[in-house]
Amino acid sequence: VKISLTWLREFVDLPETPDELRSILDDLGLVVEGIERVGEGLEKIVVARVDEIHAIKGADRIRLVVVDAGDGPLEIVCGAMNFEVGNYVPLAPVGAVLPDGMEIAERSMRGVISHGMLCSPRELHLSDDHQGLMILDDLIEPSVGERLVDALEITSDVIFDISVEGNRPDAWSIEGVARDLATRLRRPLKAPALATPRSTTPSDSVASAGIDDPDVCGHLTVSVIRALSVVPSPLWVQERLRNAGMRPISNIVDASNFVMLELGQPTHPYDASRVARQTLRARRARPGETLTTLDGVERQLAIPGRGLGDTGEDCVIVDGDDHVLGLAGIMGGASSEIADTTTEVLLEAAYFDPMTIARSSKRHGLRSEASHRNERGVDPELALRAAARFVEILSLSVPELEWLKDPLDVWGVVPTPPTLAIRDQDVERLLGIKIAREDIIAILEGMDFTVAAGDEGLDATAPGRRPDIREGTFGRADVIEEIARLYGYERIPRHHPAWSEVGGLTARQRLRRHLRQIAVDAGALEAWTPSLGSDADFDLLRSGEPRVRVTNPLAADESVLRATLVTGLVRAWARNVERGTGDVILAEIGVVFQHPSVSARPRLVKGGVGGTLTLELPRENERLTVVLGRPEDDAKSAVALWNLIKGRLGLADVVVRSLDEAPRGLHPTRAGALVDRGSGAVLGFVGEVDASLVNAITSVSPLRRLGVIDLDLDALADPDLATRRSLYVTVPSRYPSAAIDLAFVTPRGVNAADLADTLRHASDLVESVSLFDVYEGAGLPEGTRSLAYSVRFSSLERTLSDAEISDARATLISAAAMINAELR
Amino acid sequence: MSSSPLSSLPEQTDELLASIAGFATLDDLRDAEPAITGKRSIFASLQKSLGSLEPDERRSAGAQLQEARRVVVDAFDARRQDLERAARRIVLEADRLDLGDVVESDVSWALTAGHPGLVAITQQELEDVFVAMGFNVAEGPEVETDWYNFEALNIPPAHPARGMWDTFYIDLGEPETVVLRTHTSPSQIHLMEHAVATNTLPIHAVMPGRCYRRDTPDASHLYSFHQIEGLIVDRGITFGDLAGVIETFTHAYFGSDISSRLRPGYFPFTEPSAEFEITCTICRGEGCRTCSFTGWIELGGCGMLDPAVLAAVGIDAEEWSGFAFGFGIDRCAQMRHQLNDMRALTENDTRFLEQLS
């Protein structure tokens, strides 16, 4: 919200500099996001009359304008087109410096010399309008040569752009900000001038007001103001509005906006002649009712919306014929708008249920200055005071106006301000500091709390404008926050708490770090690929299957939560290939998502209003996926990397088993499952990326083999699934070991690691078994291959004899035969 | 009708279908295409002969011919797909590799330097600081219900505060009940619920994780980002403790010349709430463009746990109190590494990744 320093100073004495005020406001939580100085640098700008306009030869975007600024004709070259002879416009003569620091000098354009510059409102920092020159004819009684600051009654001002937090609707006004400052600085808050009714005619003799649904409209006041005429507002009122970012329109509308900015109460003036039976009533809209709002859009009312718990409630204002005049607290209708001919106004100042306003405003996509304030909650007791201020401002332009006495004042249901018992120890317990009781009282009374002595402290009753202050223990915290805020957070001493538990990572977090370290040590670059992808990407691997979809994506190709990391990594790899930097290993640790309808065990979590529903959520599976994209990489290098990972993780016994059906995205005949032989669990997959996937999502040519490892962290982190080596270590034999080679002919179905395991456990003397050659082809039966192992024997007790080695060899050969492996 | 040029069409069609079934290779099939369905097929020649018929007859004969041709084309396509599948199968079979048979000593492995991700190492550094301060590290899911992401955090449905987060909703359950978490705060709720259920209060934990907001990506925003959240629930915890913990962390992570300050803020789940700022790490407090010449930059939010949040998870606010704080991991990385465009984090350009260690 834009807060004028001049305006603030009408409410509280503020000798501080703008920078000093900025830090006070920041410290109050009224964060100053910018400071703008207006009305400075305009001292030399004067009012000029346009006397002649000429085309310039060869130029269609600039014209030669002859103006009179009191010293006779002056030739100016000007690019604006929105004026004609006889208009009055602002002139920056040679030597003037504009607010942005630009100095005006004689300039030659297309051979024509310009003796100054005619200005737009934006060039003068008077508004954002840059459509053309500022035309002064409507604003003032123009007089050639007069200084613009005198003509427009411009005072230089400082505008703070303050970000008001959502829980402080009371601070969304000049008076609200002033109240915070007055309380912090312990200075009095001054009251604005208010009008009093100047008529003997009671309001209820000519108009009526009513509330049909007291839960949606808590307070409705209607003032009848007569003998009006629609004229421009006083210049200083217009300036205040412009400085706050609002456009001056006419005295009636301007007064309404002025009061909203100053006191925080939105009001709505109706042209009384266009309101049937001079009646305003507030009620819920009924299904089938429509309203054409001021923006010209016809709106269907009372239609339930998509938002959670939105039953379609709209609060509307109706006239004496029960016709809808406006969407209460959000936007009026076109039918009763103030017109040039308006002479009598019904002014509505009301309090509406904030939640109803919030839902309506969201559902209709209608945001206005009024709705912003109403949905956060205005002061339910402010309406008549705001009406009095409205009349006061309006009477500056229409002194003869008549405000009928006893404005209509109807109450519905408004929240009762809570009274909270604040014990001295409550403040200390929450803040960690003792604050003197008189300081607390000064703070609370400054903020308009009603304070009384309580049993062990104070009883504080919140003012009506503080909907953020709740009942009971919740409200106690709210009040103590208010005390802390106005006392000053930085005055609360810091203390570091101590506790006896030690901190640490979980086993899973250590595993994740370990995996990252291993992959990086092996040469992988860690990637971060998008969690959201396209339907097409999903369908490449899981055509037609249920997917986890975002209902409101930013872009169509970011609407599905990924089911694999492979696609993203291959795409990232391909982009690097295109840049000539693709000879790399990429790795990512991240979550993939599975739709609950295809999940064996969907996640059941409470949700819905009040947490009363049980919802099925997607399975989230954390994976480490590595794509090996260096020129020589393939399934074999992926296996080699897996063996490294397996060794570093200390997995006891995991084998690579070929698969009848490879997981989607992997090469159908060059993929294996990583099976824990102890638990039988699959810990992941290893192999190559399916060439058809690479083809579909990249244009890399010629096609390369890409090795891939895809590990399931959920399984790896589960000690029941991923069997770890014993923590106990063995001391190797100090006697010499003996090595022999054994080659077996086996059918393809026999796994080489299974055979090695058989050999290792066939005799106590076996120290190690390692595969060193695989051969198939000539000399071997169809469907078989030869597996050659190097076997080392040793004993902890002695050097082995040849006979012992020979016996052990025979034992190994017969054990191998049991699983269909014949010595070659 | 015996004079119709189509009198022997059924037999001719059957012959074509039989010949299609007879092709054994894709090449043979492709070579035969003109004769079976193309320019040199009976369909082409019969089409020409229809010209001599009366218009009515021509229409019905034309339809008959089209139908016969469609049957043949379908059979042709089906056969082609069969043969393609078989051919791919042959290629795949020739390519078959039993990964159990890989001889490791045959695989050569070039030694190159790998590099961890910027966010990952930043997260680890932050975790390490907090672990050293005595915190545990906890985690939570990325897809949450409205209860955990909002309502238990004192943000009821239609509360204007829900607009503070640009939420991605998931197409599950009732509208707007399932979300991509917009902050790590729902992990607090899970943690507190668990501690209550298992009677394991107090809690001293930080919760790092990925969050999502519907922000159009630009140099300083991505739609997914990482936060770390801290939570203490213990006896006798005060706002002074919160300020103390923030200050200890700030010194430990950013350096002893960087300090912190709190100023009032608003979060529905804390009361009192504060924004916390640290000395500008660019100018070390002197004032520069980055900190708008204030010497301070905003890092995150914090506050004492709102009693409504404690009530939602069943913690007795008379016995326990606590605070929470949270800030962006990516933002810390951005500050420490002077990253001027966050989009680089998800572009995975190896020239970017190779700078990290």
Side-chain angles (χ1 to χ4, degrees):
Chain A
V1 58
K2 297 199 168 181
I3 299 291
S4 144
L5 179 54
T6 307
W7 208 339
L8 270 182
R9 283 179 171 149
E10 291 178 2
F11 284 84
V12 61
D13 290 330
L14 294 171
E16 286 82 359
T17 67
D19 282 341
E20 285 165 348
L21 285 173
R22 172 187 209 149
S23 67
I24 296 169
L25 288 165
D26 279 351
D27 200 49
L28 284 164
L30 300 169
V31 177
V32 177
E33 300 195 320
I35 297 183
E36 193 190 343
R37 285 160 210 273
V38 295
E40 290 184 358
L42 300 181
E43 295 76 9
K44 293 200 172 168
I45 313 295
V46 293
V47 176
R49 187 184 58 237
V50 176
D51 288 341
E52 298 167 38
I53 302 174
H54 303 288
I56 295 175
K57 205 174 174 189
D60 52 1
R61 303 229 168 158
I62 52 175
R63 297 184 293 181
L64 174 65
V65 183
V66 180
V67 299
D68 182 0
D71 301 325
L74 203 58
E75 292 193 340
I76 311 281
V77 178
C78 181
M81 298 289 169
N82 68 322
F83 59 95
E84 53 198 48
V85 168
N87 279 152
Y88 290 83
V89 295
L91 165 73
V94 171
V97 179
L98 293 185
D100 66 0
M102 176 177 166
E103 189 176 342
I104 305 298
E106 284 192 355
R107 278 181 69 195
S108 171
M109 281 173 273
R110 297 265 173 181
V112 183
I113 294 173
S114 182
H115 303 273
M117 175 176 156
L118 306 178
C119 304
S120 74
R122 194 167 81 187
E123 284 159 345
L124 299 174
H125 284 206
L126 291 175
S127 83
D128 289 338
D129 185 0
H130 196 51
Q131 298 291 321
L133 299 187
M134 185 171 193
I135 307 294
L136 303 169
D137 306 34
D138 297 341
L139 300 177
I140 49 175
E141 200 72 7
S143 127
V144 160
E146 191 183 6
R147 293 202 314 160
L148 188 71
V149 287
D150 298 335
L152 289 179
E153 295 172 29
I154 291 172
T155 44
S156 64
D157 200 353
V158 174
I159 309 297
F160 297 104
D161 189 4
I162 293 181
S163 153
V164 176
E165 300 282 9
N167 66 333
R168 293 292 313 285
D170 66 297
W172 202 331
S173 63
I174 302 291
E175 190 183 44
V177 171
R179 185 180 295 109
D180 267 24
L181 286 169
T183 304
R184 164 62 70 86
L185 299 168
R186 301 271 180 108
R187 292 176 196 158
L189 182 68
K190 296 179 239 176
L194 302 178
T196 45
R198 275 177 278 172
S199 167
T200 51
T201 315
S203 300
D204 64 4
S205 65
V206 298
S208 61
I211 296 175
D212 295 353
D213 293 305
D215 53 330
V216 294
C217 178
H219 190 194
L220 176 64
T221 70
V222 177
S223 295
V224 185
I225 305 155
R226 291 171 167 173
L228 282 170
S229 52
V230 175
V231 296
S233 295
L235 288 169
W236 67 270
V237 169
Q238 297 188 30
E239 190 189 352
R240 295 262 169 106
L241 295 182
R242 269 198 300 271
N243 287 343
M246 299 193 86
R247 197 162 52 91
I249 292 167
S250 69
N251 55 342
I252 298 173
V253 178
D254 292 354
S256 170
N257 287 331
F258 185 97
V259 170
M260 177 174 69
L261 294 171
E262 186 178 66
L263 303 180
Q265 171 74 58
T267 57
H268 192 87
Y270 298 83
D271 182 331
S273 68
R274 301 167 78 184
V275 175
R277 297 172 208 279
Q278 309 284 290
T279 296
L280 297 178
R281 301 184 71 82
R283 64 161 168 85
R284 279 190 177 79
R286 302 181 190 116
E289 285 184 319
T290 62
L291 167 70
T292 301
T293 37
L294 280 175
D295 54 6
V297 179
E298 187 185 83
R299 299 175 186 273
Q300 304 288 323
L301 303 176
I303 308 286
R306 215 187 121 71
L308 187 55
D310 181 359
T311 53
E313 277 191 347
D314 288 313
C315 180
V316 290
I317 302 292
V318 298
D319 65 13
D321 290 340
D322 209 29
H323 282 135
V324 177
L325 296 179
L327 204 47
I330 301 175
M331 195 175 275
S335 66
S336 53
E337 200 180 346
I338 299 298
D340 290 345
T341 53
T342 301
T343 56
E344 189 174 332
V345 156
L346 298 181
L347 182 77
E348 162 217 311
Y351 169 81
F352 301 104
D353 172 50
M355 199 72 101
T356 306
I357 301 293
R359 287 208 168 104
S360 274
S361 158
K362 181 182 170 194
R363 182 170 353 99
H364 294 290
L366 256 183
R367 311 269 171 187
S368 62
E369 292 279 343
S371 75
H372 281 308
R373 287 168 172 84
N374 281 312
E375 72 179 20
R376 282 166 179 79
V378 300
D379 181 351
E381 292 150 21
L382 183 57
L384 284 179
R385 186 162 166 264
R389 185 64 177 153
F390 171 89
V391 176
E392 175 72 20
I393 298 299
L394 195 51
S395 57
L396 297 174
S397 53
V398 192
E400 65 277 16
L401 65 75
E402 183 192 11
W403 180 19
L404 302 201
K405 73 171 186 177
D406 304 330
L408 305 169
D409 187 8
V410 193
W411 288 84
V413 179
V414 297
T416 310
T419 297
L420 302 149
I422 312 289
R423 294 166 300 181
D424 295 343
Q425 69 263 33
D426 291 332
V427 177
E428 190 176 355
R429 186 169 174 265
L430 192 59
L431 302 181
I433 181 185
K434 233 186 205 11
I435 298 179
R437 198 182 284 191
E438 58 268 27
D439 287 340
I440 292 177
I441 292 172
I443 286 170
L444 293 179
E445 287 184 341
M447 294 306 291
D448 275 358
F449 283 75
T450 308
V451 183
D455 288 344
E456 299 163 68
L458 305 168
D459 286 337
T461 304
R465 74 175 76 90
R466 293 305 297 265
D468 58 312
I469 310 285
R470 293 164 291 177
E471 301 273 354
T473 52
F474 297 179
R476 187 191 295 158
D478 299 331
V479 174
I480 297 174
E481 173 181 65
E482 202 57 4
I483 294 167
R485 188 174 71 81
L486 290 150
Y487 180 78
Y489 280 7
E490 285 304 300
R491 291 170 67 194
I492 298 172
R494 295 170 182 184
H495 169 260
H496 193 97
W499 56 89
S500 56
E501 297 87 355
V502 295
L505 300 176
T506 61
R508 185 199 184 99
Q509 289 155 359
R510 289 197 302 271
L511 169 78
R512 185 188 300 130
R513 285 188 177 201
H514 199 179
L515 279 169
R516 171 178 295 121
Q517 194 61 50
I518 298 166
V520 167
D521 287 351
L525 304 179
E526 187 176 6
W528 170 10
T529 68
S531 303
L532 290 168
S534 65
D535 275 305
D537 269 7
F538 184 91
D539 283 326
L540 273 177
L541 301 180
R542 289 165 178 80
S543 179
E545 290 180 25
R547 62 210 66 193
V548 185
R549 187 185 292 287
V550 170
T551 55
N552 56 340
L554 282 165
D557 61 356
E558 292 170 352
S559 58
V560 178
L561 279 166
R562 63 185 172 186
T564 176
L565 301 178
V566 174
T567 312
L569 284 170
V570 169
R571 193 170 271 135
W573 168 79
R575 276 202 206 105
N576 281 302
V577 170
E578 286 159 16
R579 284 189 285 259
T581 57
D583 295 345
V584 290
I585 305 170
L586 292 177
E588 180 170 10
I589 297 173
V591 172
V592 301
F593 301 82
Q594 188 183 38
H595 196 277
S597 68
V598 289
S599 238
R601 279 170 296 133
R603 209 150 52 89
L604 296 177
V605 182
K606 71 177 165 189
V609 179
T612 50
L613 304 174
T614 299
L615 301 174
E616 290 194 349
L617 295 199
R619 178 175 177 231
E620 295 186 16
N621 176 213
E622 190 177 21
R623 303 193 80 89
L624 164 67
T625 303
V626 185
V627 166
L628 297 92
R630 301 170 303 178
E632 303 301 321
D633 280 331
D634 62 1
K636 289 182 185 173
S637 35
V639 170
L641 176 56
W642 161 247
N643 285 337
L644 173 76
I645 294 172
K646 180 180 71 170
R648 289 277 302 272
L649 288 184
L651 293 171
D653 193 12
V654 180
V655 294
V656 180
R657 288 210 193 287
S658 55
L659 289 159
D660 291 337
E661 196 176 348
R664 282 164 293 193
L666 266 60
H667 191 302
T669 55
R670 294 168 79 86
L674 307 172
V675 179
D676 185 294
R677 240 188 319 217
S679 68
V682 174
L683 307 181
F685 300 95
V686 65
E688 275 165 27
V689 179
D690 192 341
S692 54
L693 173 65
V694 183
N695 255 331
I697 61 173
T698 78
S699 49
V700 174
S701 168
L703 213 51
R704 274 201 224 166
R705 291 189 188 277
L706 289 175
V708 62
I709 297 175
D710 187 16
L711 302 181
D712 181 347
L713 256 74
D714 298 341
L716 280 169
D718 184 342
D720 292 335
L721 300 181
T723 317
R724 298 302 167 108
R725 240 178 355 230
S726 164
L727 285 176
Y728 300 162
V729 294
T730 57
V731 177
S733 169
R734 295 195 172 83
Y735 296 95
S737 57
I740 62 166
D741 290 347
L742 291 173
F744 299 94
V745 177
T746 65
R748 281 227 182 88
V750 174
N751 184 284
D754 285 342
L755 178 52
D757 190 59
T758 302
L759 298 174
R760 193 176 297 114
H761 294 105
S763 158
D764 290 344
L765 300 181
V766 177
E767 185 183 282
S768 69
V769 179
S770 64
L771 182 71
F772 71 87
D773 188 44
V774 179
Y775 171 78
E776 59 188 315
L780 293 179
E782 182 66 27
T784 70
R785 88 286 204 207
S786 160
L787 300 173
Y789 297 89
S790 168
V791 181
R792 296 195 82 86
F793 295 110
S794 67
S795 158
L796 286 172
E797 281 114 35
R798 60 190 179 280
T799 303
L800 294 174
S801 68
D802 288 350
E804 281 174 306
I805 292 166
S806 172
D807 282 355
R809 181 176 182 274
T811 309
L812 264 58
I813 291 165
S814 51
M818 303 286 285
I819 61 165
N820 218 357
E822 297 298 333
L823 189 69
R824 187 171 169 201
Chain B
M1 280 301 284
S2 62
S3 62
S4 159
L6 302 189
S7 55
S8 53
L9 185 60
E11 294 77 20
Q12 288 169 310
T13 305
D14 286 345
E15 271 171 42
L16 286 174
L17 292 177
S19 78
I20 288 170
F23 287 106
T25 70
L26 269 176
D27 283 348
D28 292 349
L29 189 71
R30 234 174 260 130
D31 290 346
E33 186 167 5
I36 294 175
T37 60
K39 280 184 191 149
R40 290 190 278 113
S41 68
I42 53 163
F43 302 109
S45 53
L46 288 173
Q47 186 71 43
K48 277 179 208 142
S49 67
L50 296 186
S52 59
L53 297 178
E54 294 299 313
D56 271 1
E57 274 184 303
R58 191 161 68 217
R59 240 190 313 279
S60 77
Q64 198 187 345
L65 189 60
Q66 281 304 320
E67 172 59 18
R69 183 170 184 278
R70 192 188 55 77
V71 170
V72 172
V73 166
D74 284 354
F76 186 91
D77 287 344
R79 183 67 187 158
R80 193 183 58 221
Q81 281 170 21
D82 284 348
L83 291 174
E84 277 170 356
R85 252 195 302 272
R88 173 164 156 80
R89 203 68 230 167
I90 289 165
V91 170
L92 287 173
E93 281 308 322
D95 211 17
R96 178 178 287 280
L97 178 66
D98 184 340
L99 296 188
D101 283 1
V102 172
V103 178
E104 217 177 318
S105 52
D106 290 352
V107 180
S108 66
W109 190 273
L111 209 53
T112 51
H115 301 270
L118 185 53
V119 172
I121 49 177
T122 307
Q123 181 176 328
Q124 288 189 9
E125 287 164 0
L126 292 167
E127 286 171 356
D128 290 346
V129 169
F130 284 114
V131 166
M133 288 167 68
F135 286 83
N136 287 306
V137 181
E139 286 158 8
E142 294 178 17
V143 176
E144 286 281 9
T145 65
D146 57 327
W147 169 261
Y148 286 94
N149 199 74
F150 292 125
E151 195 167 349
L153 290 160
N154 197 29
I155 315 166
H159 191 287
R162 283 206 184 181
M164 285 165 67
W165 293 275
D166 296 314
T167 311
F168 279 121
Y169 293 100
I170 299 290
D171 188 16
L172 286 171
E174 297 291 305
E176 301 189 2
T177 55
V178 181
V179 306
L180 277 170
R181 66 173 171 189
T182 57
H183 45 188
T184 41
S185 306
S187 299
Q188 283 179 30
I189 303 297
H190 288 293
L191 207 57
M192 287 190 280
E193 280 184 343
H194 181 259
V196 168
T198 56
N199 201 18
T200 50
L201 286 170
I203 297 170
H204 312 95
V206 292
M207 290 144 277
R210 186 170 295 177
C211 310
Y212 299 83
R213 285 187 199 172
R214 210 173 165 281
D215 263 343
T216 306
D218 60 27
S220 49
H221 294 90
L222 298 173
Y223 71 75
S224 65
F225 60 97
H226 301 82
Q227 270 190 347
I228 188 164
E229 183 103 358
L231 174 71
I232 288 187
V233 182
D234 207 337
R235 293 184 175 88
I237 294 292
T238 70
F239 191 84
D241 293 323
L242 165 62
V245 165
I246 297 277
E247 180 73 356
T248 304
F249 161 75
T250 303
H251 286 322
Y253 181 76
F254 291 101
S256 53
D257 60 333
I258 302 292
S259 56
S260 63
R261 70 171 186 185
L262 302 184
R263 58 169 176 70
Y266 167 60
F267 305 102
F269 32 91
T270 50
E271 193 80 36
S273 300
E275 308 271 358
F276 72 89
E277 300 181 322
I278 60 167
T279 315
C280 179
T281 54
I282 308 292
C283 61
R284 306 270 148 181
E286 297 288 312
C288 67
R289 288 174 62 90
T290 303
C291 59
S292 307
F293 300 94
T294 61
W296 296 93
I297 42 177
E298 191 176 314
L299 190 65
C302 60
M304 301 302 292
L305 292 178
D306 194 291
V309 173
L310 293 173
V313 296
I315 290 179
D316 178 3
E318 291 296 316
E319 181 180 1
W320 303 94
S321 60
F323 59 75
F325 57 86
F327 54 92
I329 296 172
D330 311 348
R331 174 137 173 75
C332 286
Q334 178 194 25
M335 280 162 38
R336 175 163 282 195
H337 300 275
Q338 293 287 296
L339 175 61
N340 60 19
D341 190 340
M342 301 291 266
R343 287 168 294 196
L345 292 172
T346 53
E347 283 165 357
N348 301 308
D349 187 325
T350 60
R351 296 166 300 177
F352 178 75
L353 300 176
E354 280 165 0
Q355 299 169 53
L356 311 166
S357 55

